[in-house]
Amino acid sequence: MEDLKSKIEQANAEAVQRMFDAQPVWVDVRPALDVVPGMTKTTFLHAGPPTEWKRMCVPQQNAVIGAVVYEGLARDEAEARALAASGELTIAPSHHYGVVSSMAGITSASMPVFVVK
């Protein structure tokens, strides 16, 4: 068990060092569709692990509903909820697309995102 603890401590130390060594530069603000590989007009990215629509917490579901209306894919909350539950949308973890999303926030195609290199 001590060996595992040591490995975890070493990995954590390396991760922190990599963050300190990084030199990120904000280079642009663009619509997600233009800069996120694999993004489509029906892709909605969320923070957190993979999950099904019915298992998403209410704040995440509400964020998806708002984003669906924002994208013009539904006229109102009821229509957006039905579309999200239908399985016709791609609702995926943002880290699967190389993106960072905020807590219950959602990233959709036309939302502006920071481009950082």
Side-chain angles (χ1 to χ4, degrees), residues 28-109:
D28 207 350
V29 176
R30 303 288 309 263
L33 187 62
D34 293 351
V35 294
V36 176
M39 191 72 168
T40 71
K41 292 183 179 191
T42 58
T43 301
F44 296 83
L45 305 179
H46 64 83
T51 188
E52 304 172 325
W53 167 256
K54 65 185 177 187
R55 296 192 66 210
M56 289 181 92
C57 66
V58 172
Q60 275 189 318
Q61 285 186 350
N62 289 340
V64 170
I65 289 166
V68 169
V69 172
Y70 175 80
E71 293 297 336
L73 299 174
R75 292 176 300 220
D76 57 32
E77 179 183 345
E79 196 174 294
R81 184 177 294 281
L83 182 58
S86 75
E88 293 179 36
L89 304 176
T90 300
I91 301 174
S94 58
H95 60 272
H96 286 184
Y97 289 74
V99 175
V100 177
S101 295
S102 62
M103 296 299 284
I106 298 297
T107 302
S108 63

